[in-house]
Amino acid sequence: MIGVKTEEEIGLLREPCRIVKECLAFVGERIRAGMTTKEVDTLVYDFIKANGAEPSCLGYYGYPASACVSVNEVVVHGIPDGRVIEEGDIVSVDLCAYKNGFHGDGARTFCIGDVGPDKEKLVRVTEECFFKGIEDLKAGTPLYDISYKVQQHAESNGLSVIRSYTGHGIGREMHEDPSVPNFGRRGTGPRLPANCVICVEPMIALGGWRVRVLNDGWTAVMSDGKSAAHYENTLVVRENGVEILTL
Ligand code: MF3
Ligand code: CO
C-alpha cells in the first residue's frame, strides 16, 4: 500500500532531507585519498548530530555506522572501517538523517582523483539513470516506468543493473512501500499517487549484475569484482512532476 503524505508531513520531511543533501556536499568537499572509510563515517555522524538530527542507519537492524561507505567493487552497505581510500577509487556514500519524526535518504558516488574512463562513465551514467528514471514522473505514472527507464539507460550504455537492492518509499520509517526496482517493464506496476514520497536509487555495475554479501551480513560486493556506483535522492511525486528534497 503506497502511502501519501499531507503538506504538513512533507514540510516536516524537508528538514532531514536538507541535512542529507548538505551532508553529502560536506563529505564531497572533504573526501580524499589517504582517508579511511571510518573517517568518512565520522564526518557524517558529526554533521548529522551538529544539525540536531539522528543518523537513521546507526543501529538499523544492528547496522554499526552512520553511513554506508562503499568502495569500488562494494556496491552498497559498505561498513566503514580501516580501509584507506586511494587515488583512482570510486566511493559511494549513502546516508539517512532522522529529524521532526521523518527520515531523509540520499547517496552519491565520489571519484577520487583520476579514476579512468570506465569508472568515470559508470559514475556519470548512474547519476543520469536517476534523472532518466524520473523523467516525466508525476501523479498517475506507473511505478515500473521508473524502473524501465533506469534499466534502459544503464543497459544501452553497456552497464548492468543490480537486482537484489531497490529504492523504496520513505517517511516516518526509513523503508516504506513501495519497493522501487531499477529494472522492470514499462506501463506496469501501481500508479503513483500525488504526495507519495519515494527514494529512487540506481545501483549500476561495470560488469555483471550478480552480488554477494560478505560474512559481516551487510557488505554487498559485485561477484565479478568489478566496480559499481550508487546515486539516490528522496522525492515527492506531485500532480505535475516531482519535487526532489535532497538535491
Ligand atoms: N540508505 C540505505 C537505503 O537507501 C539504507 C542503508 S541500510 C542501513 O535504503 F542499514 F545502513 F541503514
Ligand atoms: Co534509500
Side-chain angles (χ1 to χ4, degrees), residues 57 60 63 68 77 94 96 105 168 174-175 201 218 232:
C57 291
Y60 183 78
Y63 187 76
C68 302
H77 301 170
D94 183 2
C96 297
D105 185 0
H168 50 92
M174 184 161 70
H175 293 140
E201 49 180 315
W218 287 102
E232 172 178 24

Side-chain angles (χ1 to χ4, degrees), residues 39 55 68 88 91 135 139 159 172 207 220 223:
E39 288 176 298
C68 302
V91 185
E135 208 172 64
L159 302 172
R172 292 188 188 277
S223 297

Side-chain angles (χ1 to χ4, degrees), residues 184-196:
R185 216 148 49 84
R186 172 196 247 162
T188 66
R191 289 179 185 276
L192 290 166
N195 298 349
C196 71

Side-chain angles (χ1 to χ4, degrees), residues 49-75:
K49 291 297 257 189
N51 279 272
E54 294 299 323
S56 321
C57 291
L58 187 60
Y60 183 78
Y61 289 98
Y63 187 76
S66 302
C68 302
V69 184
S70 306
V71 182
N72 295 336
E73 77 288 352
V74 182
V75 51

